Amino acid sequence: FHTMAECAAADNMDGSRDASAVVGNMIYEPDLAKSHLGEICNKLGTCISDPNKQTQWAICMKELYDLLNKIEK
């Protein structure tokens, strides 16, 4: 995923900032990422299924960003 995020940033794709933030959350908050692993895998699977669909990438990265940045109660 980190490589995908770096490629998106290099191509200046929409969603690349969200992707970088998600990578950071996965590195620095691994327990939070683990608790949402199924959702993360589903979003990445959607992106991988059609790698040329940049709009879908941006939407998925925004959803993952929101998922990993919401305040857990």
Side-chain angles (χ1 to χ4, degrees), residues 32-46 60 63-64 67-68 70 72:
L32 176 62
K34 287 178 191 175
S35 69
H36 294 291
L37 192 57
E39 295 159 281
I40 293 169
C41 289
N42 285 337
K43 295 294 177 193
L44 292 179
T46 299
C60 287
E63 290 172 347
L64 286 176
L67 177 71
L68 295 177
K70 69 182 178 184
E72 299 289 322

Side-chain angles (χ1 to χ4, degrees), residues 47-59:
C47 293
I48 292 170
S49 68
D50 190 358
N52 295 317
K53 195 168 185 179
Q54 293 185 13
T55 302
Q56 186 62 45
W57 167 264
I59 291 169

